[in-house]
Every structure is written in C-alpha cells, then in structure tokens.
Amino acid sequence: MKQPVGHYAYESRDREFLQERIAEFEDQVKRRLSGALSEEEFKPLRLMNGIYLQVHAYMLRVAIPYGILDSRQLRKLAHVARRYDRGYGHFTTRQNIQFNWISLEDAPAILRDLAEADMHAIQTSGNCIRNITSDEYAGAARDELMDPRVHAEILRQWSTLHPEFTFLPRKFKIAISGSPEDRVAARFHDIGLLARPSENGPLFRVFVGGGLGRTPVVGQELFDSVPEAELLATLEATLRVYNAYGRRDNLYRARIKILVQTIGIEPFREAVKAELAKMDLSHYRLTPERVAAIRARFAAPELHAVDDADAVLAQHQKEDPAFARWMQSNTHPHFDEGYSIATVSLKTPGDIPGDVTAEQMDGLADIAERFAFSELRVTHLQNIVLGHVRKDQLYALWQGLKELNLAAPNIGLAGDIVSCPGLDYCTLANARSLPLARKLGARFGDARLQEEIGALSINISGCINACGHHHAGHIGILGVDKRGSEFYQILLGGQAGDRASIGAILGPALSEDDAVAAIARMIDHYLAHRNEQESFLEMVTRLGKAPFKEVAYETV
Amino acid sequence: MKLFNLSQQHIIPAEEADPVSLAELKEHPEAAYAVALEPDESAEALRPFLAQITLVVLHFPIFRDGRAFTQARSLREYEDYKGEIRVTGHVLPDQAAFLRRCGVDTVVLPDDDDQTEWEAQLKRFTITYQQSIAS
Ligand code: SF4
C-alpha cells in the first residue's frame, strides 16, 4: 500500500497494538456482562474507548487523529454507519466522528472493522489525554509557518495509554497549529501549542488552562519558546503537576484551567519548572532522528500544477455564478499557486450540522481520491477540507459535491452553524439544539443573503458544558431549562483565534422561535447600520451589546 | 488480604508490614521501615527517610483517582527509591500494566480475589508508546 498523504502510515507494531487494545476491551465488555465489573467501574473503561450511554442507545466516538482521514478510512466509516448504525455519522467539533445508534455487543466487532483501516476509538472520551486536534489547513495554507501534523502524531503516540496520565482529574485536550492565525483555538484548550520554525529547529509556544464549558477561560501563555527536544518533557511536567494537584472532589472544578486560575499562572509555571528541574531531560529528549522517522511515514502530495489553471478557473467562474459564489466562500489560498484548499460544507441548509450519510461518505471518499490525493480533513467547525485541489479541477469537484448535496456556499458565513447534539441525543442536555440549528440554517439559507451578511459564526450548545462552543461564537446560543421548558440564552461577541474572547450574555432566555426571530433582527440591524466593510463582530466591538439587545428584545 | 506481585521483585509479606503514617514517621523516625502515603502527600516528603524505608504504601480511594501513579513514578525517578512500592484501596486489574510501568511492585487484594485477571492484564500489551520506569 502507498503511504497516505497527510497522516502517519501505521506499521505492524501499531496494528498489533490496536488488536491488543480491542482484545482488552472485548474482555471488559464480557466482565461487565458477567457482573465482574460494576457499571461504576465499567463506565470509565468504556469511555476511554469512546463508548457513551446516550438518551436512546450507546454512542461510539471514533478518533480521527489531528482530523486527517484517507479515502479508505472514510469508506470504512461509511461501512460502520451502514452496518451498525442508521446509515449516518456525526462529525464533532473535536474532529472526531460519532455513531449514535450502536449496541454495546457490537462494539468489539466495530472496533475490529475500524482497525482494518488503522482506526480506533482510543481516548476519545474519559479523564485522559484526548484526541490531539490540529489545523485543518495544515501542510497546505499559504500563511502556515510549519506543518504541525508530524508533531501531532508524536503527541498522539506519546499520549496513547500513558501509564501515568490515564486517570487524570478530568479530560485533557491538546491542540496544535503551525499557523500564525491560530486556527485551532489554542487558547481554548487545556494545552494549546503554536509551532514555528527557527534556525535551530521548531519552537513551540505553549498555552495552558484555556477551555469553554461551564467556566470559560482564555488560556495563558506558559512558555514562549519550547525547543522541539524539550516538547515531551514539558508536556510530561505539566501533566505531572496537574495529576498531583488538580481537584478531584468536584467534577466542575477539576479541569486544569481551575488549577491554573486558583494558584495563578506564575506559581503554576514555577511548579512546571520545578518538575523539569528534577527530570533527566536527556531521557525525555525528542530527538531529530525520532521526528525524522515519524515524518518519513507521512507522504507529501506530489503537486503538478498546470500552466493555464487560473485561466480555466476564471472561465468556469464566469460561466457559472453559483460556482463563483462557492469559490468565494469555500476556498482558501494554497501555498502552491496552481492549487486551492476547498472546504466541503456539512451545513446544508435545513440539515443537522455535521451529519453525513453513508452514501455521502462514500461519495466524498471518491471525490478525495479523484481530486485531493485521497486526503480529507475534519474541521473543528464540523466541515471537511480537501487540502490540495488543482485549480482547473475545482469546477468538476464542485459539480461532484453538488450531486452529493454538499455544495452549500456558506463557509464562515451565517449558515455555517456549529451545534452540539443537544437533547435529541445527549443525556446532559437542557434543551434541543439541532432544531434551532436547522431553523437558523433555513432562515439564512439563501446564498446571496449570506454573502451580504458576510463573516458570522453562530454556535449552539444544549447545556453549559458548551460542546457547541457557544462562548466562542460571534453569536452564541445556550440551551437552558426554565421550569421544565426549553429556553435559549443568546451571547454576543465571542471569538476564537488570536483575539480569543468570550461572548457576553445578552439578556433573559427566549423560546426557540423568539430566539430565531431575535437573531434575525440583530442581523437586520447590522445590515442597516454597519459602516462600510464592517463585519458583524467589528460592529459589536464598536457599539457594544446595547443596541443589539434593544432590537433583540423589541417585541418580547 | 493477599498480595499480587506485579514486578517479581522480592517483597515483604503482607502480614509483616506495619506501615506508619507520614506524620508518625516524622515524629518517630527511629526503627520505622514502612510508611503509608496519603494521595495528597508528595513523594518528596519522604526524602529524609528513604535510606531506612523499604516499603512505601500508596492508596487509591477510588480507582479513578490516579495520583498514586504520579507518586510512584516520582519515588522511582526523582527520589531514586529502590524499595517496595505497594498500592491499597480500590484498584482494578485493568490498571495492572500502568501500575507496574510507574514502578509499583505489589497490589493488596481481598483474600477471595481471583488473580487470573491480574495475570492476564499484565501480559496483555506487548507494545507501549512511552518509556517508563519499568516495561
Ligand atoms: S453541550 Fe451539553 S447538551 Fe450539548 S453535547 Fe455537550 S453536554 Fe450534551
């Protein structure tokens, strides 16, 4: 088999490991069914293998390390959707995929099928180091400083069944990007890493203690420039401090952000340095040889741009305005002039954000094979990116997407809504989030309207656990329970990235229809009163929330 | 109460061990050779006494509380402690390899506990992705 583009190619030891892990899980299921394990004991064990008990059934969350899939793997996911679920899967904000309707007895068989394509569900849940997320434009974007995926793979391996860090106080999420734009929301992770090259090899800026959830916190800088050699030592040291001192008496106070907040970033940094001082760093050194060995298992795409690609593309855009609109919103500059990065929107107006049918998965796998070196990237905004598409082939690509009903031209626009599964699936939910997402998606479904509104992010969570990242949306929506009925709180002005900030609550919670109407009025207000070229978020920053609050509650 | 031996090192028989608390050790260091650390006590606190200590007992209030992993690894790595490390409390056979890899030698089990799960679990993984105190 040829090596996959964009992700690590398994070797035999990695496959053996997966088989050992599956055998372990199969044994755990047996012990649960025989009663040798209590449900209380089994729960953390199944969670560490991605299995949740939801409202109606078990859910399996499959890991997509640093968000990268190849066509063969996506076809395997389609097979799982068909054979064990109801014919679809749901891509999450953590670059994973969830199957919502599986049975526990099938789980070992599903894991075996996944392992055939070098996939697993390890550490997609539980109080351990979770799947490492990365930049969806990695290795392709023009503005990128370095491709973070080799280091993401090194972190994946390092964190896999780590003997010391598998029973942490709480879950632990790490994201890594090599772009100055911070496309991974590094400041909203337990640890966020921003990689950059230097004369003496890669350097890592390390943020710690960020996160959304009940207590949204913007992460703080722990170290500015950790050399590659000390990357693993630094992470070990940080996790050691957290494992020893993180709170365990209160589920809601157990994340590392609370520890950092409680003792302060300076003492926390001193504690990490004290660990590092006690460690024999040579023992933990990430050597250039090791990095090179991992890198050698990543294939790079062989780019062959054609001379007249730009002219061909311009002609296609001229002939087909719908395609031109899609180009405008759904593509991003590639480092090679002859190529583009294309984003496939999983936000077809009126559909559930992030849901994909088995047929669409197979179709996308074919399209990636034809146009994008068989490589697909799942984004933290629940879309799919094709990293390297020849400009003259974009039109054919778009036509293929149209046939799959996946050609919505709304990336970064009002229709590109991020939503958690909410009360339809999740046992923790206060309110449904999917119907609201569908209504808003339909309300702003018109492509021309979205183009006119411009950059806008809407994020919906069904409860304060914030899986839909509602604090980080320009408009955030939070489901709350008001005397037994579902209500929605609106937040304004959040954003991820470089200038990460947390949205402010606008006012009292509204019913579903009132919330949709209030948001529509705020957007109308923006359209009527914006300065030239001013985005929604810029206007909110300029004027504050007061005028928006006024229009939002106008009729209530 | 019986002991499951993870590391195949020489161990102190269960009935012989009579560990004192850290506070007791500090007060009466004479003659103490076994000490029990609470999860919130650091391995470093034992440093002045380690020359005389041959058994450190760590405690799991519940199997999900993984502080003992860090305590054990610290004892081995930072304090260069060579004596026995034993764990008590609520532990699962599913944790056997993690315990051993962090430097734990023995697990205290109820008398009626079936050790076959522990045996199986120790042999389960031939492949690991990190270096550790023990393989
Ligand atoms: S935000 Fe709440 S409702 Fe939504 S998925 Fe997370 S826990 Fe469930």
Side-chain angles (χ1 to χ4, degrees):
Chain A
M1 191 190 77
K2 264 194 14 214
Q3 287 199 354
V5 165
H7 73 83
Y8 170 81
Y10 268 40
E11 42 182 326
S12 53
R13 69 188 299 267
D14 301 304
R15 299 206 172 94
E16 277 167 46
F17 171 79
L18 283 196
Q19 293 307 325
E20 290 170 356
R21 181 70 183 98
I22 295 167
E24 178 181 42
F25 183 69
E26 194 163 34
D27 182 57
Q28 288 166 340
V29 173
K30 269 193 213 135
R31 282 158 62 221
R32 174 69 198 110
L33 296 176
S34 79
L37 280 173
S38 69
E39 180 55 26
E40 198 220 345
E41 291 171 332
F42 180 58
K43 186 179 167 192
L45 301 177
R46 66 166 159 74
L47 287 177
M48 260 176 247
N49 221 347
I51 296 180
Y52 280 78
L53 187 56
Q54 290 196 323
V55 178
H56 310 282
Y58 280 100
M59 177 267 273
L60 173 67
R61 183 184 290 158
V62 178
I64 302 176
Y66 32 101
I68 308 283
L69 278 174
D70 59 46
S71 291
R72 169 189 67 126
Q73 292 174 322
L74 187 53
R75 289 192 186 104
K76 189 60 85 178
L77 293 173
H79 156 80
V80 169
R82 244 182 231 115
R83 168 115 190 245
Y84 303 101
D85 200 292
R86 296 186 175 176
Y88 59 92
H90 177 78
F91 286 104
T92 77
T93 54
R94 290 281 304 155
Q95 300 182 313
N96 296 309
I97 186 168
Q98 295 179 177
F99 295 104
N100 284 315
W101 301 97
I102 64 143
S103 76
L104 184 60
E105 289 74 16
D106 281 341
I110 302 176
L111 294 174
R112 277 218 175 78
D113 286 2
L114 290 170
E116 286 173 10
D118 303 333
M119 300 188 85
H120 59 76
I122 297 169
Q123 289 166 220
T124 52
S125 182
N127 294 338
C128 47
I129 304 171
R130 300 288 189 85
N131 185 32
I132 314 290
T133 53
S134 184
D135 184 336
E136 62 240 36
Y137 298 156
R142 203 171 285 171
D143 66 10
E144 185 172 80
L145 303 173
M146 65 176 264
D147 187 340
R149 291 174 297 181
V150 170
H151 293 87
E153 172 62 24
I154 289 167
L155 296 187
R156 181 190 76 81
Q157 296 193 12
W158 162 76
S159 62
T160 297
L161 297 197
H162 193 295
E164 189 175 337
F165 306 136
T166 300
F167 297 89
L168 295 170
R170 202 73 178 87
K171 57 189 168 185
F172 202 93
K173 298 175 178 178
I174 302 177
I176 178 169
S177 171
S179 157
E181 283 284 314
D182 180 15
R183 275 185 290 263
V184 296
R187 290 166 189 81
F188 282 137
H189 283 79
D190 295 287
I191 287 184
L193 298 167
L194 296 183
R196 63 181 193 275
S198 81
E199 265 169 38
N200 304 312
L203 294 174
F204 299 85
R205 193 168 172 207
V206 181
F207 293 93
V208 70
L212 295 167
R214 290 172 184 249
T215 318
V217 181
V218 178
Q220 303 185 69
E221 187 180 283
L222 182 61
F223 298 115
D224 172 45
S225 304
V226 173
E228 177 177 82
E230 286 171 25
L231 178 63
L232 294 182
T234 304
L235 294 178
E236 284 268 351
T238 309
L239 266 300
R240 286 172 184 189
V241 172
Y242 173 53
N243 194 41
Y245 300 108
R247 279 179 67 168
R248 291 175 188 265
D249 58 334
N250 180 340
L251 187 65
Y252 305 119
R253 313 285 299 159
R255 295 287 288 270
I256 194 173
K257 62 188 173 191
I258 305 291
L259 177 63
V260 175
Q261 264 190 337
T262 309
I263 69 172
I265 184 71
E266 202 43 59
F268 184 84
R269 188 181 297 118
E270 289 312 313
V272 174
K273 282 187 184 163
E275 290 290 331
L276 285 164
K278 285 189 273 190
M279 294 163 75
D280 175 358
L281 292 183
S282 68
H283 202 67
Y284 295 91
R285 177 154 293 138
L286 178 55
T287 62
E289 294 73 35
R290 170 103 183 98
V291 178
I294 300 282
R295 180 168 287 125
R297 303 196 67 79
F298 280 70
E302 287 175 31
L303 305 178
H304 300 291
V306 294
D307 287 341
D308 61 345
D310 272 313
V312 174
L313 174 61
Q315 186 62 27
H316 289 147
Q317 286 180 268
K318 213 167 112 197
E319 284 164 7
D320 195 331
F323 170 62
R325 180 169 294 124
W326 180 85
M327 276 296 302
Q328 182 69 36
S329 53
N330 291 40
T331 59
H332 188 88
H334 193 279
F335 68 79
D336 187 305
E337 284 295 338
Y339 283 77
S340 262
I341 303 172
T343 304
V344 180
S345 172
L346 304 184
K347 319 289 176 63
T348 304
D351 280 358
I352 292 175
D355 265 14
V356 183
T357 66
E359 290 64 43
Q360 287 175 322
M361 289 186 216
D362 279 334
L364 275 174
D366 293 344
I367 283 180
E369 202 164 77
R370 250 180 87 198
F371 299 110
F373 304 92
S374 295
E375 183 214 51
L376 306 105
R377 300 122 178 265
V378 181
T379 81
H380 70 288
L381 302 176
Q382 303 175 289
N383 293 308
I384 290 209
V385 161
L386 300 171
H388 319 276
V389 184
R390 239 169 65 186
K391 280 183 175 168
D392 57 313
Q393 296 183 334
L394 281 162
Y395 191 49
L397 167 81
W398 175 76
Q399 287 171 316
L401 292 175
K402 251 187 9 178
E403 274 170 39
L404 296 172
N405 199 24
L406 290 174
N410 58 9
I411 297 303
L413 304 179
D416 192 3
I417 295 166
V418 171
S419 174
C420 82
L423 194 57
D424 290 301
Y425 296 102
C426 176
T427 47
L428 303 172
N430 285 325
R432 283 171 297 169
S433 47
L434 298 175
L436 193 66
R438 295 166 102 147
K439 280 188 188 168
L440 285 168
R443 182 76 173 67
F444 301 110
D446 181 65
R448 223 169 301 212
L449 174 63
Q450 290 193 51
E451 200 176 3
E452 160 136 37
I453 298 168
L456 180 65
S457 67
I458 301 178
N459 292 54
I460 312 174
S461 305
C463 79
I464 46 175
N465 287 320
C467 303
H469 304 169
H470 62 276
H471 305 103
H474 303 167
I475 295 176
I477 301 168
L478 166 65
V480 293
D481 176 275
K482 244 195 190 174
R483 290 181 296 277
S485 350
E486 298 165 46
F487 271 74
Y488 300 88
Q489 211 167 58
I490 299 176
L491 290 83
L492 200 59
Q495 60 181 318
D498 248 7
R499 277 166 306 198
S501 62
I502 289 157
I505 296 170
L506 203 58
L510 301 170
S511 71
E512 184 178 294
D513 285 334
D514 285 346
V516 174
I519 288 168
R521 281 197 299 276
M522 293 199 298
I523 290 173
D524 285 344
H525 181 75
Y526 155 70
L527 289 176
H529 299 282
R530 66 179 161 189
N531 289 340
E532 216 175 313
Q533 303 282 324
E534 186 178 48
S535 72
F536 180 80
L537 185 64
E538 284 162 354
M539 182 162 153
V540 171
T541 314
R542 177 168 62 89
L543 296 177
K545 68 178 185 181
F548 292 94
K549 179 172 180 176
E550 198 168 307
V551 295
Y553 290 94
E554 191 159 88
T555 64
V556 186
Chain B
M1 160 177 124
K2 61 184 177 187
L3 292 178
F4 180 75
N5 192 339
L6 295 159
S7 66
Q8 303 308 320
Q9 300 293 322
H10 173 71
I11 58 170
I12 297 166
E15 55 284 359
E16 279 176 27
D18 185 17
V20 298
S21 70
L22 179 60
E24 286 164 345
L25 177 67
K26 283 180 176 164
E27 210 154 306
H28 303 289
E30 329 70 52
Y33 71 94
V35 59
L37 267 196
E38 290 305 312
D40 60 355
E41 293 172 333
S42 81
E44 208 172 325
L46 291 181
R47 189 173 294 167
F49 313 103
L50 283 179
Q52 71 193 65
I53 297 293
T54 52
L55 175 65
V56 178
V57 181
L58 304 175
H59 184 60
F60 279 82
I62 187 162
F63 74 103
R64 285 184 270 109
D65 183 339
R67 285 177 287 182
F69 293 109
T70 289
Q71 289 174 315
R73 197 264 317 134
S74 304
L75 276 170
R76 298 291 187 217
E77 181 182 341
Y78 297 159
E79 309 305 329
D80 201 25
Y81 170 66
K82 301 273 193 273
E84 180 180 343
I85 300 179
R86 181 176 295 181
V87 297
T88 64
H90 185 191
V91 271
L92 298 183
D94 310 79
Q95 296 172 304
F98 298 140
L99 290 167
R100 186 186 58 194
R101 293 181 64 204
C102 286
V104 174
D105 299 298
T106 47
V107 188
V108 177
L109 298 176
D111 275 328
D112 60 346
D113 200 275
D114 176 11
Q115 302 201 352
T116 48
E117 263 313 319
W118 285 88
E119 302 278 1
Q121 203 57 36
L122 268 188
K123 294 196 203 97
R124 188 172 290 291
F125 286 99
T126 59
I127 288 148
T128 54
Y129 284 102
Q130 315 76 11
Q131 38 185 344
S132 50
I133 298 300
S135 58

